[in-house]
């Protein structure tokens, strides 16, 4: 039988769309099969749809070879899996929060208090490291209502914008962990499975680089070319083509999304005109 790579993704929820989007960006077409599993038509891949809580265990036990899961679940479940890649989505933080009216004066505030959370393992480790004695009240959801109903004095939960905390009269007081989606793998993949994973990783990296970079085209007066080219390192070096209009050139290059606005300002200062910035679909470096 030909080898197939089995990937576990979240069935529905905050990770599902981005996980499926990642596979799509890798050029993988998933047949709309069953609710539990589907197969790709153009890559030897089977997709298992699971609750995110179960993904680390399924990967550790080899039911799935790889999986996409939040770092929070990865750390909480503490299973024997390897982190292979950070695809760059589902960024959030795990924080401690207390009622807004509390006078919070540092971690000692939690000494002797009760904290509600769905992440007891991560929280226990953190409190131990900091030498704080607090009671952990494990609940599986709606953690943010715990202080309001008198279940706990504080909570430890996922925060992204903080609007849920605000709506429940809470304030974030300590960021314990920053989390993002992880591609995890079973540590005992065979040679063929590893080769398939490498193929997938190559595509993930190409999609990631593309997102982090932009293609830029601009017109430059020839006497300013050196200064403009030095601002645009490109992949090897920028492409410079003469314009029909004498004394002008067209410069093509790739710039990092992060440097983008700063570089644009400098290019304009140096006399660049007609600047076009385009998204890149795939980038093989
Ligand atoms: P499941 O039904 O699969 O158990 P869930 O309710 O436990 O789902 P979701 O709320 O769908 O989980 O979140 C899945 C993961 O997405 C979280 O474990 C976390 O890594 C990430 N995440 C959660 N909330 C946010 C957010 N607001 N912004 C970005 N990422 C988030
Ligand atoms: Mg879950």
């Amino acid at each position: 039988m030909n080898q197939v790579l089995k990937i576990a993704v979240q069935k529905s929820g905050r990770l599902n769309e981005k996980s499926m989007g990642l596979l799509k960006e890798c050029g993988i077409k998933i047949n709309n099969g069953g609710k539990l599993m589907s197969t790709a038509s153009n890559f030897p891949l089977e997709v298992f749809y699971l609750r995110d809580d179960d993904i680390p265990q399924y990967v550790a036990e080899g039911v799935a070879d790889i999986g996409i899961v939040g770092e929070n679940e990865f750390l909480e479940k503490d299973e024997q899996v390897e982190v292979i890649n950070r695809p760059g989505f589902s960024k959030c933080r795990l924080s401690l929060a207390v009622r807004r009216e509390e006078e919070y004066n540092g971690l000692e505030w939690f000494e002797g208090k009760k904290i509600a959370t769905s992440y007891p393992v991560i929280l226990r480790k953190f409190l131990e490291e900091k030498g704080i004695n607090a009671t952990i009240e494990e609940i599986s959801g709606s953690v943010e209502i715990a202080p309001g109903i008198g279940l706990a004095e504080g909570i430890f939960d996922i925060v992204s914008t903080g609007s849920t905390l605000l709506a429940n009269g809470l304030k974030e007081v300590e960021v314990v962990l920053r989390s993002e989606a992880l591609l995890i793998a079973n540590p005992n993949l065979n040679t063929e499975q590893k080769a398939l994973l490498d193929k997938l990783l190559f595509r993930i990296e190409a999609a990631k680089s593309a997102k982090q970079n932009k293609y830029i085209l601009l017109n430059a007066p020839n006497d300013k070319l050196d200064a403009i080219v030095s601002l645009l390192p490109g992949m090897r070096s920028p492409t410079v083509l003469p314009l029909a209009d004498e004394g002008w050139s067209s410069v093509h290059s790739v710039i990092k999304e992060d440097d983008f606005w700063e570089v644009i300002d400098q290019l304009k200062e140096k006399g660049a005109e007609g600047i076009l910035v385009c998204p890149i679909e795939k980038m093989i470096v």
Side-chain angles (χ1 to χ4, degrees):
M1 201 183 86
N2 280 339
Q3 192 71 61
V4 174
L5 199 64
K6 290 173 283 183
I7 184 168
V9 300
Q10 192 192 23
K11 183 167 56 183
S12 64
R14 289 198 149 97
L15 280 166
N16 170 271
E17 204 176 304
K18 292 274 172 59
S19 304
M20 298 314 287
L22 181 70
L23 295 179
K24 195 172 168 198
E25 280 164 16
C26 292
I28 296 173
K29 290 202 178 82
I30 312 290
N31 298 319
N32 274 338
K35 281 209 166 111
L36 291 175
M37 199 265 274
S38 49
T39 51
S41 56
N42 57 354
F43 196 92
L45 190 77
E46 283 176 358
V47 185
F48 289 87
Y49 303 102
L50 304 168
R51 283 204 54 188
D52 69 344
D53 311 52
D54 298 331
I55 292 175
Q57 187 189 345
Y58 273 66
V59 173
E61 288 176 4
V63 178
D65 305 312
I66 60 174
I68 300 173
V69 73
E71 201 163 355
N72 49 325
E73 284 301 338
F74 162 76
L75 292 170
E76 181 65 26
K77 295 300 185 290
D78 200 19
E79 294 278 354
Q80 288 297 306
V81 295
E82 281 173 9
V83 176
I84 301 296
N85 195 278
R86 293 175 179 268
F89 54 80
S90 294
K91 291 193 175 151
C92 57
R93 52 193 192 273
L94 259 68
S95 295
L96 284 161
V98 302
R99 267 190 293 257
R100 206 158 42 218
E101 59 273 19
E102 297 291 351
E103 220 169 279
Y104 184 81
N105 48 10
L107 265 183
E108 303 75 47
W109 187 92
F110 287 99
E111 188 67 37
K113 300 259 174 43
K114 253 194 200 174
I115 309 170
T117 188
S118 311
Y119 299 96
V121 173
I122 298 173
L123 179 58
R124 191 167 302 120
K125 193 161 166 248
F126 175 76
L127 293 174
E128 266 170 29
E129 269 170 25
K130 301 290 178 185
I132 304 288
N133 279 304
T135 308
I136 298 175
E137 191 72 39
E138 186 180 350
I139 51 176
S140 61
S142 304
V143 172
E144 64 283 354
I145 65 167
I149 58 172
L151 182 68
E153 283 104 341
I155 68 160
F156 175 60
D157 203 11
I158 292 177
V159 180
S160 61
T161 60
S163 57
T164 309
L165 292 183
L166 203 66
N168 287 281
L170 302 173
K171 62 179 175 188
E172 182 177 11
V173 291
E174 305 281 344
V175 177
V176 173
L177 175 80
R178 296 198 182 270
S179 171
E180 62 178 315
L182 300 177
L183 181 71
I184 55 170
N186 180 285
N188 307 309
L189 298 185
N190 66 33
T191 316
E192 280 173 309
Q193 289 167 324
K194 275 193 191 134
L196 286 176
L197 176 56
D198 279 347
K199 213 168 151 180
L200 187 64
L201 278 174
F202 174 75
R203 296 187 187 191
I204 290 175
E205 283 305 322
K208 251 165 69 177
S209 313
K211 269 195 225 147
Q212 288 162 0
N213 291 277
K214 299 274 178 227
Y215 192 74
I216 180 167
L217 303 96
L218 57 86
N219 294 331
N222 285 347
D223 58 338
K224 300 281 171 52
L225 255 181
D226 286 348
I228 287 173
V229 163
S230 70
L231 289 170
L232 296 168
M235 288 176 78
R236 187 174 293 273
S237 73
T239 308
V240 179
L241 302 164
L243 289 189
D245 207 355
E246 219 168 283
W248 285 79
S249 296
S250 169
V251 180
H252 300 200
S253 191
V254 169
I255 55 170
K256 283 214 156 46
E257 170 95 68
D258 292 346
D259 302 338
F260 176 74
W261 288 111
E262 203 171 324
V263 173
I264 294 289
D265 286 342
Q266 293 180 39
L267 288 171
K268 272 171 41 198
E269 248 168 58
K270 297 274 193 287
E273 286 181 11
I275 303 173
L276 296 179
V277 179
C278 312
I280 297 171
E281 165 94 16
K282 298 285 184 294
M283 183 165 156
I284 320 296
V285 287

